[in-house]
Amino acid sequence: MSLLEDTVAAIGSLAAPAMAAARERQGMLTKPPGSLGRLEELAIWVAGVTGEPVPRPLERRAVVVMAGDHGVTRQGVSAYPSAVTAQMVRNFAARGAAINALAQGVRARVVVADLGVAADLSDVPDLRHHAIAPGTRDMARGPAMDRDQARRALERGVTILEEEATCGLDVVCSGAAPEVVTGRGTGLSDAGLRHKAQVVAHALRLNGPDPTDGLDVLAKVGGFEIGGLAGLMLGAAARRIPVVLDGYIAGAAALLAATICPAVRDFLVAGHRSAEPGHAIVLAHLGLTPLLDLGLRLGEGTGAVLALPILDAALAMHSSMATFASAGVAGADVAATQAESTA
Amino acid sequence: MSLLEDTVAAIGSLAAPAMAAARERQGMLTKPPGSLGRLEELAIWVAGVTGEPVPRPLERRAVVVMAGDHGVTRQGVSAYPSAVTAQMVRNFAARGAAINALAQGVRARVVVADLGVAADLSDVPDLRHHAIAPGTRDMARGPAMDRDQARRALERGVTILEEEATCGLDVVCSGAAPEVVTGRGTGLSDAGLRHKAQVVAHALRLNGPDPTDGLDVLAKVGGFEIGGLAGLMLGAAARRIPVVLDGYIAGAAALLAATICPAVRDFLVAGHRSAEPGHAIVLAHLGLTPLLDLGLRLGEGTGAVLALPILDAALAMHSSMATFASAGVAGADVAATQAESTA
């Protein structure tokens, strides 16, 4: 089998015994059951992903930002010229981008990968060079890439995950730059937005991707960085590493990964709801409710790393709170009985 | 004048020049304008609070948790007996509560204050002793406290803020325990919830608080910890220290503070939307949109400290991102023009 098939074959399901033990522990902590809402769910989820009833802190953390150019930008569907992709990659490497500022604050390393930027980036320090081609072809005139390129994009994502796991990786955030989608992306006018929607509709009609075939969708209307991110997610799921999704592009990559292997969804959490329209639909398809809703539409992984402190809080609460027994506090059962008898 | 009037007199407005400078800086950073949504608003807001166009990190941080018992619990309106308040205070002091776990993760010190718990807490280490009385009177039979007690609760909140400011305080989170409100609070049954709503409606009819007179509302249907939190907020606003609100009790205290001094609102941000019903109404009255919505209904300040990393991220982004000029990246204006001409 190839790397892609091997990876998919290694993806299991959430560890039910660890989750049951984590759920039981939650009921013993000095708080009314359920009163910490999603923090409780997150702690139980990480237990299921890692197989540890009381997971250790997620200390080794990376945000992987993948970049690639899209041939369809020739149709004028982005507010930024294609050259901006390369400039942004250089800005990531120089640590001047938003993701650098946010990742530093949560002690996440920033891993930037070129999956197919239409520029020579050989001089950029610390860049992971995984370019498939200098940008995809124009999907308004035919498939964005061929099927072999789609497979290679996915497998390079797996490879990047494997490399990071070798360095040590407890949680991975997925990001992409720039965002090229059917919304305003990062700064499109009303007229530009209408044109973009027309171009995308035309490309879908022209290419007729098979929605049940992930490789076909990726090849016909995808992008190299979307394939790379999907591969990253499959690789993380195979190694039981929790994945925090950023916005629209990461969501699209997650849909692609779930088409290839539905079980991957169990290993994903949505960091935030993007201000990009349509993201809510993507999340609903994935069955994910985002942790944050702060009106972000930048990409880069910003909405994913912002969610890391919430995961941290969930695990800290789960591991370090006192139990009713240890603290000598009356539990909910006893107390509720007393209150009812008074009422 | 008294401490309360002195404090109110010292409350100013947001610093418009610092906010204008911060807004201008946001437009120069290497991202499309507005693409970081609320992070941008938060950075500009902190500039307005502190008067610094590029605010320093909010390093010295405290969550102040105030506790008090309510005479109305004799009517059986809480899922927990009154003794639980004292047990929870001891759990805070022993660092076993949820707020301890969450505060440690964001490097916030936990300050626990007794504003009127119905128990002897003289042996609890590090507790701030500011008890007005061993619990309020039963508001179902008359005013919860007299007007002088209400004033003292407010002033003790100011005093606690002053003490913390002396230690160094860049941001303060407000919390209370336990939550005694018209929702389920921390674990009430359906029958208990109906009873509680009846008791509250009765107390409002009986006491007839004047909604334009903060001291009257506090005295008739408030609690010592609510007065203390309102005083804390007034004190923070007077010193231009940003306040992060926790859930329902903190929201009620903020309404009280805003009744006494409307300008206090400018210095508040809502950490989260509580799962306690009615919190949304409180926030709407305050004109605040919460940063998080994670289904929390514990209190203790948990929903406030969870929001600190978002403030941190906003300020890190604001201070450390590259500008278009410094990074050599094409700005939005240039890029949009190019894209439009292609379209």
Side-chain angles (χ1 to χ4, degrees):
Chain A
M1 291 197 292
S2 76
L3 177 59
L4 181 60
E5 280 77 19
D6 283 345
T7 302
V8 167
I11 296 175
S13 54
L14 295 178
M19 294 179 83
R23 199 172 283 113
E24 186 179 348
R25 177 173 173 79
Q26 277 297 314
M28 296 161 55
L29 301 179
T30 48
K31 58 179 175 53
S35 62
L36 282 176
R38 291 208 67 190
L39 293 192
E40 302 185 13
E41 296 170 18
L42 282 172
I44 295 164
W45 173 68
V46 177
V49 172
T50 62
E52 300 168 6
V54 185
R56 288 161 295 176
L58 305 174
E59 288 177 352
R60 300 168 301 174
R61 42 181 71 191
V63 52
V64 179
V65 189
M66 300 204 186
D69 275 307
H70 295 247
V72 73
T73 53
R74 277 171 226 131
Q75 304 290 330
V77 294
S78 171
Y80 289 81
S82 184
V84 168
T85 310
Q87 289 169 354
M88 289 307 292
V89 167
R90 292 181 185 279
N91 200 25
F92 297 146
R95 303 186 184 178
I99 189 59
N100 303 101
L102 270 53
Q104 185 175 18
V106 298
R107 307 177 316 283
R109 58 186 191 264
V110 179
V111 177
V112 186
D114 172 10
L115 272 287
V117 177
D120 179 5
L121 295 172
S122 55
D123 63 316
V124 177
D126 298 328
L127 182 66
R128 308 301 166 91
H129 297 280
H130 289 282
I132 310 287
T136 56
R137 291 191 293 267
D138 182 356
M139 68 174 179
R141 299 182 176 198
M145 62 188 92
D146 59 43
R147 198 172 172 94
D148 178 63
Q149 287 179 315
R151 167 181 289 274
R152 279 158 59 207
L154 285 158
E155 295 195 336
R156 289 184 184 190
V158 175
T159 299
I160 290 166
L161 187 287
E162 296 289 332
E163 288 169 357
E164 290 309 309
T166 304
C167 302
L169 190 65
D170 298 320
V171 60
V172 64
C173 296
S174 65
E179 298 252 329
V180 180
V181 283
T182 54
R184 283 174 199 279
T186 43
L188 205 62
S189 70
D190 288 348
L193 184 61
R194 281 192 300 275
H195 174 65
K196 184 168 170 177
Q198 287 164 359
V199 169
V200 171
H202 168 72
L204 285 168
R205 271 197 312 274
L206 176 72
N207 292 297
D210 173 1
T212 66
D213 179 350
L215 275 168
D216 192 58
V217 172
L218 175 59
K220 286 176 173 167
V221 296
F224 295 133
E225 82 285 19
I226 294 176
L229 287 172
L232 181 86
M233 293 169 197
L234 294 169
R239 284 183 171 262
R240 309 191 74 83
I241 294 169
V243 178
V244 186
L245 301 181
D246 189 29
Y248 200 100
I249 293 285
L255 278 178
L256 177 62
T259 303
I260 295 168
C261 175
V264 76
R265 277 183 290 208
D266 284 349
F267 298 87
L268 310 177
V269 67
H272 81 126
R273 184 186 307 282
S274 169
E276 189 79 5
H279 190 217
I281 296 169
V282 169
L283 291 176
H285 265 278
L286 290 165
L288 300 176
T289 306
L291 291 169
L292 296 167
D293 187 357
L294 296 169
L296 310 186
R297 54 182 171 81
L298 178 61
E300 301 185 1
T302 50
V305 299
L306 269 177
L308 285 179
I310 299 173
L311 273 174
D312 295 340
L315 296 185
M317 173 273 290
H318 186 65
S319 67
S320 73
M321 275 184 75
T323 62
F324 282 111
S326 71
V329 175
D333 295 347
V334 177
T337 308
Q338 291 186 27
E340 291 300 301
S341 63
T342 318
Chain B
M1 290 197 293
S2 76
L3 177 59
L4 181 60
E5 280 76 20
D6 283 346
T7 303
V8 167
I11 297 175
S13 54
L14 295 178
M19 294 178 82
R23 197 171 285 114
E24 186 179 349
R25 176 172 174 79
Q26 277 297 313
M28 295 161 55
L29 301 179
T30 48
K31 58 181 176 49
S35 62
L36 282 176
R38 291 209 67 188
L39 294 191
E40 302 185 14
E41 296 170 18
L42 282 172
I44 294 163
W45 174 69
V46 177
V49 171
T50 62
E52 300 168 5
V54 185
R56 288 160 296 175
L58 305 175
E59 286 177 353
R60 300 167 302 174
R61 41 181 74 190
V63 52
V64 179
V65 190
M66 301 206 185
D69 274 307
H70 295 248
V72 72
T73 54
R74 279 172 224 129
Q75 304 290 330
V77 294
S78 171
Y80 289 81
S82 184
V84 168
T85 310
Q87 289 169 353
M88 289 308 291
V89 167
R90 291 181 185 280
N91 199 25
F92 297 145
R95 304 186 184 179
I99 189 58
N100 303 99
L102 269 54
Q104 185 175 19
V106 298
R107 307 177 315 284
R109 58 187 190 264
V110 179
V111 177
V112 186
D114 173 10
L115 272 287
V117 177
D120 179 6
L121 296 172
S122 55
D123 63 314
V124 177
D126 298 329
L127 181 66
R128 308 299 166 91
H129 296 281
H130 289 282
I132 311 287
T136 55
R137 292 191 293 269
D138 182 356
M139 69 173 179
R141 299 183 175 197
M145 63 188 91
D146 58 43
R147 198 172 171 93
D148 179 62
Q149 288 180 315
R151 169 181 289 274
R152 280 158 59 206
L154 285 158
E155 294 194 338
R156 289 184 183 189
V158 176
T159 299
I160 290 166
L161 189 284
E162 295 290 330
E163 289 168 357
E164 290 309 309
T166 305
C167 301
L169 189 66
D170 298 321
V171 61
V172 64
C173 297
S174 66
E179 298 252 329
V180 181
V181 284
T182 54
R184 282 174 199 278
T186 44
L188 204 61
S189 70
D190 288 349
L193 184 61
R194 281 193 300 275
H195 175 64
K196 184 169 172 177
Q198 286 163 1
V199 169
V200 171
H202 168 71
L204 285 168
R205 272 197 311 273
L206 177 71
N207 293 296
D210 173 2
T212 66
D213 179 351
L215 275 168
D216 192 59
V217 172
L218 176 58
K220 286 177 174 167
V221 296
F224 295 133
E225 83 284 19
I226 295 176
L229 287 172
L232 181 87
M233 292 169 197
L234 293 168
R239 285 185 171 262
R240 309 192 74 84
I241 294 169
V243 179
V244 186
L245 301 181
D246 188 30
Y248 200 100
I249 294 284
L255 279 178
L256 177 61
T259 303
I260 295 168
C261 176
V264 75
R265 277 183 290 208
D266 284 350
F267 298 87
L268 310 177
V269 68
H272 80 125
R273 185 186 307 282
S274 167
E276 189 79 4
H279 189 218
I281 296 169
V282 170
L283 292 175
H285 265 279
L286 290 165
L288 300 176
T289 305
L291 291 169
L292 296 169
D293 188 357
L294 295 169
L296 310 186
R297 53 183 171 81
L298 178 61
E300 300 185 3
T302 49
V305 300
L306 268 177
L308 286 179
I310 299 174
L311 273 174
D312 295 339
L315 296 185
M317 172 274 289
H318 187 64
S319 67
S320 73
M321 274 185 73
T323 62
F324 283 111
S326 71
V329 175
D333 295 346
V334 178
T337 309
Q338 291 187 26
E340 292 300 301
S341 64
T342 319

